[in-house]
Amino acid sequence: MKFGGTSIGSASAMQRAMEIVAKEKNNSIPVVVLSACSGITNKLIRISAEAGDSNLEKAMELSREVKEFHHGLVDVLINDDERRASALDKVDAYVGELEILIKGVDIVGELTARSFDTFCSFGELLSTTIFSEAMQEAGHDAVWLDMRELMITDDNFSMARPLEDICEKNVKQAIRPLLEDGRIVVTQGFIGSTKDGKTTTLGRGGSDFTAALLGAWLSSDEIQIWTDVDGVMTCDPRVVPDARSIRVMTFTEAAELSYLGAKVLHPDTIAPAVKQSIPVYVLNSLHPESKGTVITNDPAMLEGMSYGGLVKSIAVKKGQCIINFRSNRMLGRHGFMAEIFGVFARAGVSVEMISTSEVSVSLTVSESAPLEELVAELRKMGDVEIEPDVATISVVGDNLRTSKGVAGRIFSAMKEVNIRMISQGASEINVGLVVEGDDVEKAVQSLHREFFSGNESSGIFEAPAMKK
Ligand code: ADP
Ligand code: ASP
Ligand code: MG
């Protein structure tokens, strides 16, 4: 059971999460994976930046805010004097480590990738410490584990990947006996460590990934991702307020959606679960009774919910930039594409969407890519033009593979919008469009209307029980 930041972002949210865990315990003993409380990872990142810029005062002030926030949680959640004192000591010990790190980075005047990950790790260490103390206070046999001792990763800081064989062995050895003894395990998502004990992180949103990995290594019956919306929805409810919950979807659809920008799941989440066909439930901690979404390849589950429509969901990724490249030298030549992509590879930039003709290539990258460097290199080979502030919109559904007329419907829905780029994914289950930043809401809402109005009775979509 993984709880995201908002699901444990206040004392009352933590209480709700604890009730959900306690209820699950009646079925089977869960492993609980927590994110940092909402906003804390961002704050730790700010602290690291201030320390790196030698703004010691500011970094220390923010660190005091981190401390006060967690003290506030302990004060509400833990009544027993002795336990409260011990929980506060643990919080203070982590904040003490954070302050030593701040001072170290301030003196050196440089924030390294290694220290950055250590900064980020405190959010999960603090949230899990408080949660497990509060579970114990409520009479549950909960045991706190330091995931850094089990999740051994490579040293690709900020985007570390687990050394799977070692981790699987560690996790089985450490966690199985506890579960067999009926003890609830509480541990951190997102963090791990290298073989020589340096703290690493799995990338933003990485707690989902931790949960899926643990689920796979422990051969769990299911993986539950508890968040702040009613499962995976037909679109981000922040963009389309009348988005509906999707009751069931395939692993490919969910993976595609998460890669294409639906923040509800971390892109890597699905892989470990797919390998072992473990169903992933995406559920709403603010509304535990609603059914949420199940992601599965189980034919029985899918058949019960068969869907005749075309599109399952629409993903949006803002903050993108189009690079248009054109050169007559491309005509009839071989190896030119390799040269173009070599530029991106050398700059370590991931290319997201591509569309080509004989003499031109358009592609999108994140706005945070080193654009000047890319443009300077590409200009040596041809003409380059940049279109900043665009968003990619992807229409996703397994049925797109076999259906006719999708493109027609997409274009008629986009009559009022200037489409900057179009691409159909090789997986054939998504069609991608790029539009100007100002047009995103309009474009997505009209696509949503085109594909989802009139589907109310399909049984696969449900109005969310509670709007965000
Ligand atoms: P958590 O902290 O629980 O990991 P996230 O903020 O990472 O939560 O993900 C949940 C958010 O994802 C939702 O609040 C919602 O705004 C956003 N989101 C984007 N696309 C979708 C989608 N298709 N369905 C549901 N939520 C989505
Ligand atoms: N706390 C981490 C983040 O904010 C990991 C997560 O929430 O999944 O990215
Ligand atoms: Mg998340």
Side-chain angles (χ1 to χ4, degrees):
M1 303 177 81
K2 176 261 174 176
F3 291 86
T6 38
S7 299
I8 50 160
S10 63
S12 54
M14 273 216 183
Q15 264 152 349
R16 254 192 319 266
M18 282 163 51
E19 280 163 28
I20 295 171
V21 171
K23 204 165 165 204
E24 183 62 46
K25 197 182 132 195
N26 300 329
N27 294 332
S28 62
I29 307 296
V31 177
V32 179
V33 172
L34 302 185
S35 294
C37 299
S38 57
I40 296 297
T41 308
N42 285 346
K43 193 165 268 186
L44 291 165
I45 291 174
R46 268 187 68 203
I47 294 176
S48 72
E50 298 289 358
D53 289 343
S54 293
N55 293 329
L56 182 62
E57 279 296 302
K58 185 69 198 169
M60 294 298 269
E61 182 192 322
L62 291 168
S63 143
R64 271 191 300 279
E65 287 176 20
V66 170
K67 178 165 155 175
E68 275 159 26
F69 173 80
H70 291 94
H71 272 214
L73 292 180
V74 172
D75 288 341
V76 179
L77 291 168
I78 302 172
N79 293 319
D80 178 76
D81 286 343
E82 216 170 292
R83 193 185 295 284
R84 189 169 61 240
S86 136
L88 290 175
D89 280 351
K90 288 182 187 169
V91 169
D92 291 351
Y94 283 129
V95 177
E97 280 179 43
L98 172 62
E99 289 179 354
I100 292 172
L101 185 62
I102 293 173
K103 287 176 189 154
V105 169
D106 167 63
I107 290 170
V108 183
E110 187 197 3
L111 176 68
T112 61
R114 282 178 185 207
S115 30
F116 179 80
D117 276 14
T118 307
F119 274 108
C120 289
S121 67
F122 288 107
E124 273 70 12
L125 291 166
L126 286 162
S127 66
T128 50
T129 298
I130 296 172
F131 192 89
S132 78
E133 292 281 345
M135 286 292 288
Q136 286 163 22
E137 158 119 343
H140 299 289
D141 190 1
V143 43
W144 181 89
L145 288 187
D146 188 336
M147 191 38 72
R148 292 172 300 180
E149 288 168 13
L150 311 180
M151 185 72 79
I152 306 302
T153 70
D154 59 22
D155 61 358
N156 191 3
F157 293 94
S158 293
M159 202 32 105
R161 284 297 164 265
L163 307 175
E164 297 230 10
D165 293 345
I166 304 177
C167 296
E168 179 165 1
K169 194 164 135 253
N170 288 350
V171 163
K172 281 187 171 139
Q173 246 167 25
I175 298 186
R176 272 212 179 132
L178 295 169
L179 297 177
E180 277 158 15
D181 285 350
R183 309 188 69 188
I184 298 172
V185 173
V186 178
T187 192
Q188 309 81 43
F190 180 53
I191 65 173
S193 82
T194 59
K195 273 185 185 159
D196 56 352
K198 302 276 179 291
T199 299
T200 53
T201 63
L202 308 178
R204 292 306 305 268
S207 297
D208 298 342
F209 188 30
T210 308
L213 288 166
L214 294 188
W217 293 329
L218 293 165
S219 306
S220 303
D221 297 330
E222 60 186 61
I223 296 162
Q224 299 176 359
I225 306 287
W226 290 88
T227 182
D228 61 349
V229 283
D230 276 3
V232 183
M233 307 184 74
T234 50
C235 191
D236 186 341
R238 279 179 294 201
V239 182
V240 177
D242 54 359
R244 267 171 277 147
S245 308
I246 306 170
R247 292 286 311 286
V248 61
M249 61 200 310
T250 61
F251 279 120
T252 353
E253 286 172 330
E256 196 85 3
L257 257 190
S258 62
Y259 285 122
L260 294 170
K263 189 185 166 218
V264 67
L265 281 178
H266 183 281
D268 290 323
T269 302
I270 307 297
V274 177
K275 263 198 228 157
Q276 298 206 18
S277 300
I278 301 173
V280 177
Y281 289 84
V282 183
L283 299 155
N284 189 349
S285 68
L286 299 169
H287 203 270
E289 309 76 49
S290 57
K291 297 188 182 92
T293 303
V294 55
I295 302 166
T296 176
N297 279 346
D298 176 355
M301 272 175 160
L302 289 167
E303 201 182 324
M305 281 277 157
S306 70
Y307 169 54
L310 285 173
V311 176
K312 274 279 181 65
S313 188
I314 301 170
V316 185
K317 211 184 245 186
K318 296 183 188 170
Q320 304 287 106
C321 169
I322 300 181
I323 300 181
N324 291 313
F325 175 85
R326 190 187 158 84
S327 169
N328 292 339
R329 283 165 54 211
M330 275 171 81
L331 194 65
R333 259 196 69 192
H334 54 83
F336 210 84
M337 283 293 183
E339 283 174 41
I340 295 174
F341 285 102
V343 170
F344 291 88
R346 283 191 295 281
V349 172
S350 135
V351 173
E352 311 235 344
M353 200 182 276
I354 309 169
S355 143
T356 66
S357 80
E358 253 314 282
V359 293
S360 67
V361 186
S362 294
L363 34 82
T364 62
V365 296
S366 159
E367 255 176 1
S368 60
L371 292 172
E372 275 179 30
E373 180 188 331
L374 290 172
V375 170
E377 282 301 307
L378 291 169
R379 286 235 159 97
K380 294 179 188 161
M381 293 185 270
D383 299 332
V384 185
E385 207 184 285
I386 298 275
E387 293 184 47
D389 187 26
V390 297
T392 56
I393 301 177
S394 310
V395 173
V396 178
D398 263 354
N399 291 354
L400 292 186
R401 218 190 306 249
T402 48
S403 310
K404 293 189 193 123
V406 187
R409 287 180 64 184
I410 293 177
F411 292 126
S412 74
M414 301 285 278
K415 276 201 288 280
E416 307 290 319
V417 177
N418 184 2
I419 303 178
R420 309 300 308 139
M421 215 176 121
I422 304 165
S423 155
Q424 169 159 4
S427 63
E428 293 178 40
I429 70 163
N430 89 70
V431 177
L433 313 163
V434 182
V435 303
E436 286 161 17
D438 290 343
D439 282 340
V440 182
E441 260 80 18
K442 186 165 67 175
V444 176
Q445 283 163 8
S446 75
L447 279 171
H448 196 270
R449 223 174 300 123
E450 170 67 30
F451 288 105
F452 296 108
S453 53
N455 275 329
E456 286 82 355
S457 57
S458 74
I460 187 178
F461 300 113
E462 224 164 76
M466 196 170 159
K467 282 204 174 158
K468 209 184 158 186

